[in-house]
Amino acid sequence: MSVTAPLGFEAAGVAVGLKSSGSPDVAVVVNRGPLKVGAAVFTSNRAKANPIIWSQQAVQDGVVEAIVLNSGGANCFTGSFGFQTTHQTAEKAGQLLGVSAGDVLICSTGLIGTGDEAFRGKVLEGTEKGIAQLSADGGEAASLAIMTTDSRPKRSVVTRNGWSIGGMAKGAGMLAPGLATMLVVITTDAVIDAGQADAALRDATRVSFDRLDSDGCMSTNDQVTLMASGASGITPDFAAFAGALADVCADLARQLQGDAEGASHDITIEVVHAASEEDAVEVGRSVARNNLFKAAIFGNDPNWGRVLAAIGTTAAEFDPYDVDVWMNGVRVCSQGGPDASRDDVDLAPRATHLLIDLRVGAATATILTNDLTHDYVHENSAYAT
């Protein structure tokens, strides 16, 4: 049930014609309490969609009563009309739910730069229709409604000692870090306050969504939201809650990676023995964004030279002639020179593991990415048609 697995939440997913396919395209998730705690992290892209601008202000008081999400239109670069659409959506939801519009977050996903009266009308219709269909079983429908180019919904639930966390996510392209990746809604019935929610969410996204770098393209609409109802009546140890939240975020991030547009390999880049975590992240990301490396993996070519060339562009502390590189368990490079034969590396499986040993410290980091394929280029060349 994803977001309605924890107690105190209702959700719905409805179709109002935003998608040409006729599939669900507006989702509503409502926190029935008794707590109405909320926290969110947003894209760091300076080009922000209208829902991001709204939600960044609305969440500042740590109270979130509901969230309305639409697919089929990003409502980004749509001027004052677009912001008015976001405002009216929150007002509509607030009116129907009997809550303040300022406690309603808004998310949108789809094509940038499009929006008219028909779009606004459908979003408002979907908000009304969704609220009318709210139920404790509506989490699955909501997870379907937020999909765009996704081939499948992403859901995750963990249950602990009397409390739980549930989540849903959408994302298949424009997956790059910057506090959050695409649209994610997470709910919990644990008793936590706004400060704890914010701290735990930022810690969890830092090592999950912020480490997903599928194609190096940062969206204008990225948002991860956490809502806490306290309906379980249980106050967990903060470390236990933070760990469970990190597990949900990591699971959803992996699902996003596995559904990346056109990908044929899911690449896990593990950097070990770095001087600092920042260095490990920088090195891993340099490889994740290297098109030559990603194209080589698509061609099942264990071209480790492209790995060293990529990490050599970073400011991380290491000696490029004292680095080891492993591909799917085979050490192809030892201390900056050839080791095992490339013929020993099997890159046929979708799961691909790259291990980079910098041999200078004790810090590690893992970055998730995908290969660069013909299908990815084709899908994104025709996205707006």
Side-chain angles (χ1 to χ4, degrees), residues 339-365:
D339 195 2
S341 170
R342 299 184 186 195
D343 294 337
D344 295 340
V345 181
D346 181 11
L347 290 178
R350 185 178 179 96
T352 303
H353 183 259
L354 175 67
L355 176 66
I356 303 170
D357 189 345
L358 297 181
R359 301 165 62 95
V360 292
T364 67

Side-chain angles (χ1 to χ4, degrees), residues 357-382:
D357 189 345
L358 297 181
R359 301 165 62 95
V360 292
T364 67
T366 299
I367 303 294
L368 306 179
T369 191
N370 303 91
D371 56 349
L372 179 59
T373 68
H374 302 304
D375 288 344
Y376 174 83
V377 174
H378 173 73
E379 184 161 347
N380 284 282
S381 67

Side-chain angles (χ1 to χ4, degrees), residues 89-111:
T89 303
E91 288 182 329
K92 170 70 76 172
Q95 176 187 9
L96 294 173
L97 293 169
V99 304
S100 168
D103 293 330
V104 178
L105 303 191
I106 307 295
C107 292
S108 297
T109 181
L111 189 63

Side-chain angles (χ1 to χ4, degrees), residues 117 188 264 306:
E117 290 290 348
T188 182
S264 64
R306 292 180 177 177

